[in-house]
Amino acid sequence: MNNLTHSRDSIVYVTSDWSGLKDVLLEKGATPKGMPAFFKPLEELNRRNVKVELIVLTSEFKQSDISSDYFSNTNITVLPWPSSKSLKAAYDIAYTVYKVCSIIRAVKPSFVYSLGPKGVTGTIAAKITNTPVGVRIFGINTYYEKYQAQGELKFALKSPLFYLMFKLRSNFILATNDGSPSDLLNQEIGRKDNVFKYWANGFDYSDVDLSTTAKTSRYLIYPSRISEKKQQLEAVKILEDLHRLGHQDVKLLFVGHLTDKNYWEKIERYVDTAGLSEHVQYLGTMDKASLFKYMHDAICVLSIQKVSNLSNVLLEALSCNSVILSYREPALCNFLEHEKSALLINKNDEAAHLISNLIEDAELQSDIRTKGKDALENYVDPWHVRVNRELDLLLEKR
């Protein structure tokens, strides 16, 4: 199974089955739709001919389901992950650590990269095998708030994998500065001898033809996976308010992976009750060129997640001269100004009036589009720069 040979530049890459990765693992010829912060480093490792042992921890599919030809110079191993909490689940996780140790001993990598809570198994295995290891933090969401409410002991018992991401010794911890307070959680529970890096994601310069003028568009777009923490239902309520203000022809488009079917059904029921069935549409996932076109032509792009609004898709929206509407969060206020380079709200009930003003003021819309992109380019690195910094960490150029 493990056919990689010893090399200084070889990586054991331990991760969960995040959306986007599944796109290419389970469908031959597919391209990733989302999660560039994780895909681009993998792609760059391939481009540099670094040998990668990609270990995917999942309860959703098996090794026999893999049909990918997307990654070169990469061996893919799928290991089962428990789908519930129990004593057996604890045993299964311990067995996963054993399997990862076996792969590390067979591959003899120069480095282990552990992504997310499930990646803790990779960190433990690296410590057992005395292999250098780095940790990539994601999925923090409301865990800092949980820590504040529960205290350290209760938090460690209830969220052990999240706790261990910060607590185990590693060469570095890299977290995304996306509005989720990984830095604050690290200050509270992180090891003081770990090197903590808190970086924003990057952006790509668009090569998509964006010549269509936004004056002809009559829709809002919310590109994000369908999940309660993304608050798509609140977007529907914003549309409802906008219709009350006289803009009954405006539609709302959702784009992204459908990860919570129960939540989507709740949204559909609300849409039907509100009489908005003709004005709300779910488009599924789409390739980047199509998404960029949709975002550029929209009246505005919504990003109203409970946390982490400085997301990849928000950066992409700014890069293609979109107007974004999001919350007044520190991560956004660091480089965006309300009604100058973005629309920033405190509460959702402010949104409809701002969007109405935007519809009626073409000059304001044009100014925000231009200044939003300028703010992005002055604050955020292009992806190739951001990814090279990450690979410098992995390949011992830190």
Side-chain angles (χ1 to χ4, degrees):
M1 178 178 66
N2 299 302
N3 56 7
L4 302 182
T5 58
H6 179 65
S7 168
R8 180 185 181 280
D9 286 346
S10 59
I11 302 291
V12 168
Y13 194 105
V14 186
T15 184
S16 59
D17 55 340
W18 31 270
S19 60
L21 182 60
K22 287 185 287 188
D23 291 336
V24 302
L25 292 185
L26 302 180
E27 184 179 346
K28 192 170 183 178
T31 56
K33 299 179 179 67
M35 307 300 277
F38 307 131
F39 249 106
K40 289 181 179 294
L42 271 174
E43 290 175 331
E44 181 62 14
L45 287 168
N46 273 257
R47 192 191 70 79
R48 296 191 190 185
N49 204 34
V50 176
K51 295 179 179 179
V52 177
E53 179 78 25
L54 179 60
I55 301 175
V56 183
L57 309 176
T58 179
S59 59
E60 295 188 18
F61 54 87
K62 300 176 182 179
Q63 184 78 44
S64 58
D65 296 321
I66 300 297
S67 61
S68 176
D69 57 358
Y70 188 85
F71 298 111
S72 62
N73 209 31
T74 298
N75 191 48
I76 301 169
T77 302
V78 176
L79 295 178
W81 189 262
S83 56
S84 62
K85 294 181 179 180
S86 63
L87 286 176
K88 183 180 183 305
Y91 170 83
D92 289 342
I93 292 173
Y95 182 72
T96 298
V97 172
Y98 165 77
K99 293 292 289 183
V100 176
C101 283
S102 299
I103 292 171
I104 291 173
R105 291 188 176 110
V107 173
K108 297 181 176 62
S110 56
F111 204 75
V112 174
Y113 201 20
S114 301
L115 277 73
K118 295 178 185 178
V120 165
T121 55
T123 307
I124 296 171
K127 306 314 291 181
I128 292 172
T129 58
N130 196 30
T131 308
V133 61
V135 174
R136 180 71 166 90
I137 299 287
F138 65 92
I140 293 300
N141 298 315
T142 59
Y143 278 87
Y144 178 64
E145 288 77 7
K146 289 181 180 179
Y147 165 79
Q148 289 181 307
Q150 296 170 353
E152 185 166 353
L153 178 59
K154 190 173 182 181
F155 179 80
L157 293 173
K158 286 184 168 291
S159 308
L161 296 179
F162 275 90
Y163 184 75
L164 288 173
M165 276 197 297
F166 292 91
K167 212 65 180 174
L168 294 175
R169 179 74 178 93
S170 59
N171 290 54
F172 66 84
I173 295 177
L174 172 59
T176 304
N177 180 5
D178 59 359
S180 57
S182 302
D183 57 334
L184 300 181
L185 192 53
N186 182 69
Q187 289 174 20
E188 296 288 345
I189 65 174
R191 292 179 61 106
K192 303 307 178 188
D193 55 348
N194 277 345
V195 176
F196 183 80
K197 297 182 180 293
Y198 195 46
W199 296 349
N201 285 329
F203 74 97
D204 286 324
Y205 289 97
S206 174
D207 57 0
V208 179
D209 179 12
L210 300 175
S211 58
T212 302
T213 63
K215 293 179 181 178
T216 59
S217 73
R218 302 301 298 175
Y219 63 84
L220 316 174
I221 188 168
Y222 191 175
S224 182
R225 60 190 172 87
I226 306 298
S227 168
E228 189 166 6
K229 59 190 174 186
K230 307 298 185 181
Q231 299 197 128
Q232 279 89 356
L233 182 56
E234 296 302 311
V236 176
K237 293 177 182 178
I238 289 172
L239 179 70
E240 194 175 15
D241 290 343
L242 193 61
H243 278 213
R244 291 193 189 103
L245 293 176
H247 302 285
Q248 289 93 350
D249 60 333
V250 173
K251 295 184 177 183
L252 172 62
L253 308 181
F254 292 118
V255 178
H257 291 86
L258 179 52
T259 58
D260 188 335
K261 292 182 180 179
N262 291 334
Y263 181 57
W264 179 246
E265 289 171 359
K266 180 179 178 180
I267 293 171
E268 288 182 313
R269 289 193 295 271
Y270 187 94
V271 167
D272 287 341
T273 302
L276 293 172
S277 298
E278 298 296 318
H279 293 86
V280 177
Q281 187 175 2
Y282 171 58
L283 302 181
T285 60
M286 60 177 60
D287 62 86
K288 179 175 286 189
S290 298
L291 178 59
F292 273 37
K293 187 72 170 173
Y294 267 98
M295 291 194 298
H296 173 268
D297 291 353
I299 297 166
C300 73
V301 178
L302 304 181
S303 180
I304 52 172
Q305 306 177 85
K306 290 182 179 179
V307 291
S308 306
N309 282 292
L310 186 53
S311 62
N312 289 307
V313 74
L314 182 140
L315 300 178
E316 290 172 346
L318 289 171
S319 77
C320 59
N321 289 100
S322 301
V323 177
I324 64 103
L325 183 144
S326 191
Y327 295 125
R328 293 181 188 266
E329 296 178 354
L332 295 178
C333 292
N334 282 340
F335 74 109
L336 295 174
E337 294 183 74
H338 176 55
E339 291 193 310
K340 291 186 178 179
S341 48
L343 298 180
L344 301 177
I345 61 176
N346 293 308
K347 297 179 180 179
N348 291 333
D349 58 12
E350 302 170 14
H353 285 280
L354 291 170
I355 296 170
S356 178
N357 291 340
L358 196 70
I359 292 171
E360 295 168 0
D361 190 338
E363 185 176 350
L364 174 64
Q365 187 169 160
S366 177
D367 285 348
I368 293 178
R369 287 174 180 272
T370 300
K371 290 176 182 176
K373 186 173 183 179
D374 289 345
L376 170 75
E377 293 179 355
N378 288 330
Y379 184 78
V380 178
D381 287 331
W383 264 124
H384 71 275
V385 175
R386 165 64 181 76
V387 169
N388 284 337
R389 290 167 63 202
E390 185 166 344
L391 262 67
D392 284 348
L393 294 176
L394 300 183
L395 303 179
E396 300 184 332
K397 297 176 182 177
R398 47 190 177 274

